Amino acid sequence: MSTITDQQSVQALDDVVEFDIAGMTCSACATRIERKLGRLEGVTASVNFATERATVIGLGGDTAVGIAAVERAGYKAGLHTPGDDEWSRRATSDRIDSLRRRLTVSALLSVPLCDLTILLALVPAWRFPGWQLLCVLLAVPIVTWAAWPFHRATWRNLRSGSLSMDTLVSLGAAVSFVWALVVLVGGPSAAGYWIGFGPTPPGADAIYLDVAAGMVTFQLGGRYFETRSRRRAGDVLHAISGLAARTVLLRTPDGDVEVPAGSVRPGDVVIVRPGSAIPIDGIVDAGRSSVDTSTMTGETAPVEIEPGSSVAAGTVNGAGALTIVAERVGQHTRLAQLAAIADEAQRRKAGVTKLVDRISRVFIPVVIVLAVLVTAAWLLSGAPVGAAIGIGIAVLIIACPCALGLATPTALMVGVGRGGQLGILVKGQDALEASGRIDTVVLDKTGTVTTGAFTVADVRPIDGRTRDELLGLAGALEQASEHAIGRAVSGAAAAALGRPEAVEDFAALSGLGATGLVGGRRVLAGNRRLLLEQGIAVPPELDAVVEELEFAGRTLVLVAVDGVAAGVLGLADDVKPTAREAIAQLKAMGLRTVLLTGDTARAAAAVGASLGFDETIAEVLPADKAEVVARLQREGRRVAMVGDGINDAAALASADLGMAIVTGTDVAMKSADVILVRDDLRAVPDAVALARRMLGTIRGNLIWAFGYNIAAIPLAASGLLNPLIAAAAMALSSVLVVTNSLRLRTFTPHQAD
């Protein structure tokens, strides 16, 4: 089978195209299309049965070749337009309509057919000339037109040298019907089966007609409800895309004009009426309102908006009109990027999905061989021909692994979709699997556990310097820094002292601090390690102040001027309001929590202890964060890393599961497996709880699917299972699996499983 590997999935997406596929009936169809596309030179493909979509790499822009390959396999294909699900929805709707018509006709004809056979089997005196022919006439439309989707798929499979679950249904219906005709024209006399259990009364051997008719009706019913359920699951998954506004009220010199959303450019002024969806990411220029962000973040409380506030596309304006200056539009909005990531998630198959695909591919031919062997064994044991064939048909039907093929993808699809509704965006189904297996959660401190909005709370000069002098020198140096701490220091200095002096020869020292010339003096600002590496002594007077501020949980910036320690700045970084509750929830779920920071051990310990972390790892340079994750993994732990910055990217990528806060950098979000859309640390335990619920659903589905086949096949092979009951049980098992998966839609946040 040709599939997209992880390495290929991260290559440039210019050569990646997606096709909507119509006509797939089981996971074996997806495998067949993958193989067909994979035979094209230089092409790899992954087909997702649940979403009815194929992702193809290597076509070189020649999409017609890919569509032709899919059509040669016997299916319909169309180029998928991101954000536009109209083609696939129409194809699914057409399929549901077709199944509904066939199911209706099959059911309407099966009822009188079964009534006739039961009544005439029980009351021989009521039999009339030609009653058997009437039964045949009632059965013909069922086993031909109504069952045509199964026969068509079987013929398509045989032409390509493969088998599918449809083969088992088609073969079972055909064998039942043909055997009934053989008996009718004077073939071997043997007892058949009727709608109940046990042999049919003598003289009603054509009862096998209602086995064929009943089996087709049950299979059509199961396929109909399964397809409807899968469409509902897909609606959950694509909910994010549906949040985008289609039109925008644009302010122009000639007045306000309604234009397509795609025509807006950065810098344009957009008017958002009360109750309307916000179409772009931007800054409020005028107006006050409350904005409902629940569609994107899962938070039910509205956010109060005023001039200067940032707003995001996909959120809904409340009672006030807003004038917004566009910053990011179209495919560059946060909503569009999140929708693209949710869409891309379907390209990555979970490991358990691949395993089930392999099992299904082998299982179907094994079932056919088993049915033949069971029939032969009963014939050799002296059983009547009709009874032996009936037992073989029961084995053929009951073993059909439809439920097995649906067990994993439907649960994963609904789980990913529900996560998107709750502000937990999963990049791939394999990431959701990993979420359920982790036992250790590592959280970066600055910007993740804390707000990342530093304020200068303490200015402690030494060596006779004044407070203003120390703050002014540090602020002048840090005005060239892009680090959050540097910006806080320069901002505090500018607010207190006015425009700072110019800085020359500035150099940022990763994980240490910065250095530069301010007014001809060499100024260093950073941590204790920076001063020690530069050979600058920390006098006892300063050491005592440092210890005091560290115990208070301050982040420290030590300052030296011309090689002499000048003092220390203590910065406060407020802990996020939900941090303590989130850590408590993670611990209640049996997870070990680790705080990771570049702060000193004493400062980190103060924050870690106040929040209830199990372990605090301090004084970690940005480049060493990935090594900390690797060390925990070497100790046998399955690690989730939660971060937001560029310096977290390597750790996010190397962890078993990377989670990025959406307010963080683009690099961090690209490195992560899960993006937490709402800036609320409780989303971390929510993501783990959702993953555990999803994995529990998958396990339940697989246990049922495997257990059902393991228990039912011996029953059928031993002659204890009526073929008609086998058909009903097999159809109901598929519906049960999909319905069980849909229960994930009711998952509620802030609860530990």
Side-chain angles (χ1 to χ4, degrees):
M1 180 178 66
S2 176
T3 56
I4 294 176
T5 64
D6 290 338
Q7 181 178 358
Q8 290 165 321
S9 67
V10 297
Q11 73 179 50
L13 296 181
D14 295 341
D15 196 26
V16 176
V17 295
E18 286 189 298
F19 296 123
D20 292 311
I21 308 293
M24 291 193 296
T25 56
C26 65
S27 57
C29 297
T31 302
R32 185 176 312 106
I33 297 172
E34 282 182 352
R35 289 204 301 265
K36 199 73 172 181
L37 288 167
R39 293 192 185 111
L40 299 175
E41 185 176 355
V43 170
T44 54
S46 176
V47 180
N48 191 307
F49 170 55
T51 59
E52 298 182 307
R53 193 175 299 168
T55 303
V56 186
I57 295 176
L59 285 175
D62 193 355
T63 57
V65 173
I67 292 175
V70 175
E71 290 178 345
R72 282 197 303 274
Y75 304 88
K76 294 181 180 179
L79 186 63
H80 175 71
T81 302
D84 181 9
D85 299 310
E86 185 59 32
W87 194 96
S88 59
R89 286 177 183 274
R90 186 170 60 251
T92 302
S93 180
D94 290 345
R95 183 161 180 250
I96 290 174
D97 290 342
S98 175
L99 286 170
R100 184 190 297 113
R101 288 193 300 270
R102 296 177 192 276
L103 174 60
T104 301
V105 171
S106 182
L108 289 175
L109 293 177
S110 293
V111 170
L113 175 61
C114 291
D115 287 344
L116 273 174
T117 52
I118 294 172
L119 187 62
L120 297 178
L122 294 175
V123 188
W126 287 4
R127 295 172 189 169
F128 53 86
W131 72 273
Q132 293 169 316
L133 179 60
L134 176 60
C135 290
V136 171
L137 293 176
L138 289 172
V140 166
I142 301 173
V143 298
T144 54
W145 179 80
W148 180 244
F150 305 113
H151 301 321
R152 179 180 55 198
T154 299
W155 175 243
R156 180 175 58 206
N157 299 338
L158 292 175
R159 284 169 51 197
S160 61
S162 59
L163 303 171
S164 73
M165 299 172 195
D166 294 297
T167 308
L168 304 183
V169 178
S170 176
L171 192 58
V175 171
S176 299
F177 182 74
V178 170
W179 180 249
L181 293 181
V182 169
V183 173
L184 280 175
V185 297
S189 179
Y193 281 87
W194 62 299
I195 193 68
F197 291 92
T200 305
D205 299 329
I207 292 299
Y208 261 118
L209 290 171
D210 64 358
V211 171
M215 181 178 65
V216 170
T217 302
F218 286 132
Q219 292 305 309
L220 285 170
R223 193 66 59 85
Y224 170 70
F225 290 111
E226 170 201 321
T227 305
R228 284 189 58 187
S229 297
R230 284 200 289 117
R231 183 173 67 177
R232 291 168 63 196
D235 290 342
V236 174
L237 181 64
H238 297 296
I240 297 176
S241 301
L243 300 176
R246 304 303 179 193
T247 60
V248 173
L249 190 61
L250 183 66
R251 175 150 294 175
T252 70
D254 299 325
D256 297 342
V257 181
E258 190 165 346
V259 299
S263 64
V264 180
R265 297 291 177 263
D268 287 348
V269 178
V270 172
I271 309 301
V272 181
R273 298 188 181 102
S276 299
I278 295 175
I280 42 85
D281 293 353
I283 302 296
V284 176
D285 183 59
R288 297 176 183 273
S289 184
S290 59
V291 173
D292 180 4
T293 63
S294 61
T295 51
M296 283 192 65
T297 67
E299 291 294 337
T300 55
V303 177
E304 297 302 319
I305 296 298
E306 59 185 17
S309 299
S310 297
V311 291
T315 55
V316 180
N317 185 24
L322 296 175
T323 302
I324 303 172
V325 179
E327 287 190 320
R328 292 185 294 271
V329 300
Q331 297 302 310
H332 300 289
T333 64
R334 184 79 70 182
L335 173 66
Q337 292 173 2
L338 298 181
I341 291 172
D343 201 50
E344 184 183 349
Q346 298 310 304
R347 296 173 180 162
R348 295 161 58 178
K349 282 190 177 182
V352 67
T353 303
K354 298 174 185 177
L355 174 63
V356 170
D357 285 348
R358 289 196 296 270
I359 293 173
S360 297
R361 193 163 63 249
V362 174
F363 194 71
I364 294 168
V366 168
V367 167
I368 293 175
V369 172
L370 179 63
V372 172
L373 293 177
V374 167
T375 303
W378 277 94
L379 287 172
L380 292 174
S381 68
V385 178
I389 290 177
I391 293 170
I393 292 172
V395 171
L396 199 66
I397 298 167
I398 201 67
C400 189
C402 291
L404 184 62
L406 292 167
T408 302
T410 51
L412 288 168
M413 185 168 62
V414 178
V416 170
R418 181 56 179 156
Q421 291 179 327
L422 297 174
I424 303 164
L425 192 60
V426 184
K427 282 189 176 181
Q429 299 171 350
D430 48 351
L432 205 50
E433 279 187 304
S435 303
R437 295 195 301 264
I438 61 169
D439 54 32
T440 301
V441 181
V442 178
L443 295 100
D444 176 61
K445 175 176 170 284
T446 304
T448 302
V449 174
T450 62
T451 62
F454 288 95
T455 57
V456 177
D458 300 277
V459 180
R460 301 289 188 90
I462 63 169
D463 197 27
R465 299 183 186 274
T466 66
R467 184 180 185 279
D468 288 351
E469 180 185 6
L470 179 65
L471 181 59
L473 288 170
L477 171 66
E478 297 286 12
Q479 66 183 305
S481 173
E482 295 183 355
H483 195 281
I485 292 177
R487 291 197 301 270
V489 172
S490 61
L497 306 173
R499 186 180 180 86
E501 291 186 66
V503 59
E504 301 174 354
D505 194 25
F506 175 84
L509 307 173
S510 179
L512 298 173
T515 180
L517 292 174
V518 178
R521 290 177 289 181
R522 172 62 62 180
V523 179
L524 278 79
N527 55 28
R528 181 191 291 266
R529 186 183 302 177
L530 174 62
L531 270 63
L532 295 178
E533 287 188 2
Q534 297 295 322
I536 300 173
V538 178
E541 177 187 1
L542 181 59
D543 204 32
V545 175
V546 167
E547 184 174 349
E548 174 193 342
L549 295 179
E550 284 180 341
F551 275 120
R554 298 284 190 256
T555 297
L556 304 184
V557 177
L558 280 71
V559 182
V561 180
D562 291 331
V564 178
V568 61
L569 307 179
L571 281 77
D573 183 11
D574 293 336
V575 172
K576 289 182 177 178
T578 58
R580 186 171 286 102
E581 182 181 350
I583 301 306
Q585 287 181 1
L586 289 170
K587 294 176 70 173
M589 298 167 73
L591 299 170
R592 182 172 180 80
T593 55
V594 178
L595 179 65
L596 187 63
T597 178
D599 287 352
T600 62
R602 281 195 293 259
V607 175
S610 67
L611 294 177
F613 277 91
D614 295 308
E615 181 181 359
T616 301
I617 302 176
E619 300 181 10
V620 179
L621 295 176
D624 295 335
K625 289 184 177 181
E627 174 55 31
V628 171
V629 171
R631 176 174 59 80
L632 291 170
Q633 289 171 326
R634 288 194 296 270
E635 293 173 359
R637 296 199 168 272
R638 294 190 179 98
V639 180
M641 173 71 193
V642 187
D644 74 318
I646 292 176
N647 56 19
D648 300 324
L652 289 168
S654 61
D656 297 286
L657 177 73
M659 297 185 181
I661 306 293
V662 77
T663 54
T665 64
D666 289 342
V667 174
M669 288 194 289
K670 288 177 181 177
S671 303
D673 301 301
V674 175
I675 297 175
L676 306 177
V677 179
R678 69 183 196 267
D679 189 15
D680 182 344
L681 273 182
R682 290 175 298 184
V684 177
D686 288 349
V688 177
L690 173 62
R692 289 183 173 182
R693 177 74 63 81
M694 181 210 67
L695 289 178
T697 300
I698 290 175
R699 279 193 292 267
N701 286 348
L702 290 175
I703 289 172
W704 166 255
F706 278 115
Y708 160 81
N709 281 321
I710 291 171
I713 289 176
L715 285 175
S718 61
L720 299 176
L721 197 59
N722 186 317
L724 194 58
I725 302 302
M730 195 273 276
L732 291 174
S733 69
S734 297
V735 176
L736 175 65
V737 163
V738 176
T739 303
N740 188 45
S741 298
L742 286 172
R743 292 173 59 243
L744 286 168
R745 296 184 306 166
T746 63
F747 172 83
T748 53
H750 307 325
Q751 63 179 22
D753 283 358

